[in-house]
Amino acid sequence: WTATRDKSCKLPMPKGSMGFPIIGETCHWLFQGAGFHASRRQKYGNVFKTHLLGRPLIRVTGAENVRKVLMGEHTLVSVDWPQSTSTLLGPNSLANSIGDIHRKRRKVFAKVFSHEALESYLPKIQQVIQETLRVWSSNPEPINVYRESQRLSFHMAVRVLLGFRVSDEEMCHLFRTFQEFVDNVFTLPIDLPFTGYRKGIRARDTLHKCIEKAIREKPLSAQGKDYADALDVLMDSAKENGTELTMQELKESTIELIFAAFATTASASTSLIMQLLKHPAVLEKLREELRGRGILHNGCLCEGELRLDTVCSLKYLDCVIKEVLRLYTPVSGGYRTAMQTFELDGVQIPKGWSVMYSIRDTHDTSAVFKDVEAFDPDRFSEERCEDKEGRFHYLPFGGGVRSCLGKQLATLFLRLLAIELAGGSRFELATRTFPRLVSVPVVHPTDGLRVKFFGLD
Ligand code: HEM
């Protein structure tokens, strides 16, 4: 298709520059980083056109504009993944489903993240976090928080979603294979020896084999509500909805979930640790809340089971997690294609154009947040609740029918991590100053964030 205006529509095209032939503005974007979008937005407005990574693109910022794009899923717009991503995730993935098929698949997935299911995952998540923090604390050297958080979120996903109980060696092998898969998900779709695409396909096939073996060796699904893992819930849920998932569907679904959880959760965990280091008063207030609820006593986390309701009722903790996800939103936005020409902010979005709705820029420019650049968890308190002043101003998990399916699992994980950090760890920045952040592929510190963990004295 050609990215031209729709002549039958009277509205003007969005302002903006298409840059040089073929490469468009890709070099400007790579060179300027996050500043690229800010400068274009200031020059051309909240809806502007550009040309990035070989394709013309309309970038959309602002709650009202984003609302129209997200609520127009399946009618005005549809998902638009690069070919490599579509192929590697597979035809049965949510990413590749539209319309009714997408709706049905989401219904099957919904149970994986239900209250009951989350309650059964909680002790496993807690265990993975505790084991990881013990390893971090026993390391005499500072750790690279971003790299280790990737490992942590992968472990969490493998244990909770797949129920895998594998040796450290097998876990390392799985992790390396998965990284190879992730590194090549966004690549040119050229299937030749030594291309990234071929490496991605090989990694995917290895992962599929491991998952198939684990599924075949799995004991029969736990009966009732006490699920062993998310795969059990998924298979159960499919039956309830009158279908049985094929092995191929199970393998693709599992990889998609781990893929969706991996980089996002690692980025958010790193940002959380960085903000707790930067703001000791916030960490202390968190400890106060845990003491007040009897979770923290004499500087130690109390033994005994934490219940989901208790974790979710910690109000200040909730504010801290929300603020981390507002200021350091892991997913910068989402890509769609216009299915028909439509109006946005007084300009036309012609049929066939790629549209990127922006989460980060929407957060950064939203008028509902006072002192928008400050890390201020109390903005989400019951007294202030700035996020409730309008819809789509706060959307770290997207919105509409394609909003994040794993939102509750992700926030539960981050809450549990914060509880363990506040209760059971001592940690210090190992560099003189805090690192700079970069935002591609997800927000993370340039040096990974070097931190020395001590555990409890
Ligand atoms: C979709 C953010 C963690 C599963 C999304 C979207 C966002 C997002 C913004 C929508 C993208 C779009 O509109 O194109 C995040 C953030 C996370 C996180 C910030 C962590 C802090 C997770 C986890 C899982 C998950 C832990 C599952 C284990 C999914 C799935 C979709 C999705 C399956 C696709 C939904 C669909 O297409 O219908 N996520 N996510 N996410 N997320 Fe998450």
Side-chain angles (χ1 to χ4, degrees):
W1 56 271
T2 48
T4 50
R5 61 165 297 162
D6 182 341
K7 294 198 181 86
S8 68
C9 176
K10 299 262 180 317
L11 293 167
M13 281 292 288
K15 289 181 189 159
S17 153
M18 302 302 277
F20 299 112
I22 303 171
I23 57 166
E25 296 200 290
T26 308
C27 294
H28 302 77
W29 174 61
L30 290 174
F31 185 67
Q32 287 178 270
F36 171 83
H37 296 298
S39 69
R40 297 300 184 276
R41 202 184 53 243
Q42 277 154 18
K43 200 163 165 192
Y44 303 122
N46 270 346
V47 181
F48 66 85
K49 66 177 180 201
T50 177
H51 191 289
L52 297 177
L53 295 173
R55 62 179 181 178
L57 178 77
I58 294 173
R59 195 167 157 113
V60 175
T61 298
E64 189 43 35
N65 296 330
V66 167
R67 185 195 65 77
K68 191 158 179 185
V69 172
L70 289 176
M71 299 318 277
E73 184 78 42
H74 301 326
T75 52
L76 296 182
V77 296
S78 179
V79 272
D80 178 27
W81 289 97
Q83 198 193 319
S84 59
T85 320
S86 295
T87 314
L88 289 175
L89 289 178
N92 300 298
S93 58
L94 277 170
N96 282 325
S97 329
I98 49 172
D100 265 355
I101 298 181
H102 177 253
R103 268 188 277 271
K104 282 189 191 134
R105 289 210 169 114
R106 265 188 85 103
K107 204 169 161 212
V108 171
F109 270 107
K111 210 172 161 192
V112 173
F113 304 104
S114 65
H115 191 87
E116 282 164 5
L118 290 175
E119 185 87 78
S120 75
Y121 307 151
L122 192 154
K124 284 172 220 146
I125 302 178
Q126 215 183 350
Q127 199 187 352
V128 176
I129 294 174
Q130 284 168 351
E131 281 169 16
T132 302
L133 288 177
R134 263 197 297 277
V135 173
W136 291 1
S137 307
S138 63
N139 191 333
E141 298 300 320
I143 66 147
N144 179 321
V145 173
Y146 180 54
R147 202 179 52 212
E148 293 305 315
S149 295
Q150 287 183 328
R151 214 181 280 275
L152 168 61
S153 67
F154 182 72
H155 281 204
M156 187 276 288
V158 167
R159 284 261 191 98
V160 172
L161 298 175
L162 294 176
F164 276 19
R165 279 233 151 249
V166 291
S167 67
D168 288 352
E169 202 182 318
E170 281 172 302
M171 187 63 99
C172 276
H173 170 66
L174 265 181
F175 182 59
R176 270 199 306 274
T177 313
F178 186 73
Q179 271 186 321
E180 179 95 333
F181 172 80
V182 172
D183 288 349
N184 295 297
V185 159
F186 298 99
T187 187
L188 286 174
I190 304 169
D191 188 10
L192 288 174
F194 310 116
T195 59
Y197 190 56
R198 177 71 67 86
K199 285 184 198 160
I201 290 174
R202 269 210 223 107
R204 180 202 59 192
D205 292 346
T206 309
L207 292 170
H208 275 193
K209 267 191 212 134
C210 293
I211 296 169
E212 181 164 349
K213 184 168 171 279
I215 294 173
R216 294 207 186 281
E217 288 171 1
K218 214 168 168 35
L220 277 179
S221 154
Q223 294 296 312
K225 290 170 191 168
D226 187 18
Y227 295 110
D229 54 62
L231 260 182
D232 283 332
V233 189
L234 189 61
M235 291 192 255
D236 230 40
S237 174
K239 274 188 208 142
E240 275 176 29
N241 282 282
T243 57
E244 194 128 345
L245 294 176
T246 62
M247 180 58 80
Q248 189 62 21
E249 283 172 324
L250 276 173
K251 290 189 290 192
E252 287 178 17
S253 304
T254 315
I255 293 204
E256 183 172 33
L257 287 182
I258 302 180
F259 173 68
F262 175 68
T264 49
T265 316
S267 163
S269 306
T270 309
S271 301
L272 170 69
I273 294 174
M274 184 142 129
Q275 292 319 301
L276 293 181
L277 278 164
K278 266 190 177 174
H279 303 277
V282 170
L283 184 58
E284 190 39 45
K285 198 164 166 185
L286 210 50
R287 288 187 170 132
E288 223 170 84
E289 181 171 50
L290 297 180
R291 278 193 288 269
R293 298 295 297 274
I295 299 170
L296 187 65
H297 185 65
N298 284 341
C300 287
L301 285 178
C302 297
E303 296 283 323
E305 223 177 273
L306 260 181
R307 298 297 309 267
L308 184 61
D309 287 341
T310 314
V311 177
C312 295
S313 68
L314 296 167
K315 295 212 163 65
Y316 187 65
L317 173 60
D318 184 48
C319 295
V320 172
I321 304 300
K322 278 190 173 146
E323 182 64 339
V324 167
L325 294 175
R326 181 192 71 87
L327 205 49
Y328 304 98
T329 176
V331 179
S332 65
Y335 290 90
R336 304 287 190 268
T337 299
M339 294 165 75
Q340 54 170 290
T341 301
F342 63 96
E343 182 272 335
L344 203 60
D345 216 8
V347 294
Q348 64 164 279
I349 309 295
K351 180 177 176 182
W353 273 68
S354 288
V355 176
M356 191 221 184
Y357 81 89
S358 173
I359 298 177
R360 190 166 305 136
D361 294 358
T362 299
H363 286 178
D364 288 354
T365 56
S366 171
V368 306
F369 299 120
K370 318 271 174 317
D371 198 1
V372 77
E373 284 174 20
F375 181 76
D376 176 12
D378 285 315
R379 68 172 80 248
F380 291 104
S381 64
E382 271 168 8
E383 298 76 49
R384 287 170 61 192
C385 49
E386 293 179 358
D387 57 320
K388 300 282 180 329
E389 281 178 37
R391 287 185 71 200
F392 293 93
H393 288 274
Y394 180 69
L395 64 156
F397 295 104
V401 296
R402 279 198 184 269
S403 65
C404 179
L405 258 174
K407 171 181 168 172
Q408 307 296 349
L409 176 64
T411 43
L412 174 62
F413 173 84
L414 293 169
R415 285 172 175 148
L416 290 173
L417 177 62
I419 291 177
E420 293 295 333
L421 287 166
S425 299
R426 205 156 58 76
F427 49 107
E428 283 171 7
L429 185 70
T431 47
R432 269 194 315 116
T433 52
F434 282 96
R436 212 167 51 80
L437 295 178
V438 283
S439 51
V440 178
V442 285
V443 168
H444 67 278
T446 40
D447 72 350
L449 187 67
R450 318 283 304 176
V451 175
K452 177 76 190 86
F453 280 80
F454 300 94
L456 281 183
D457 298 324

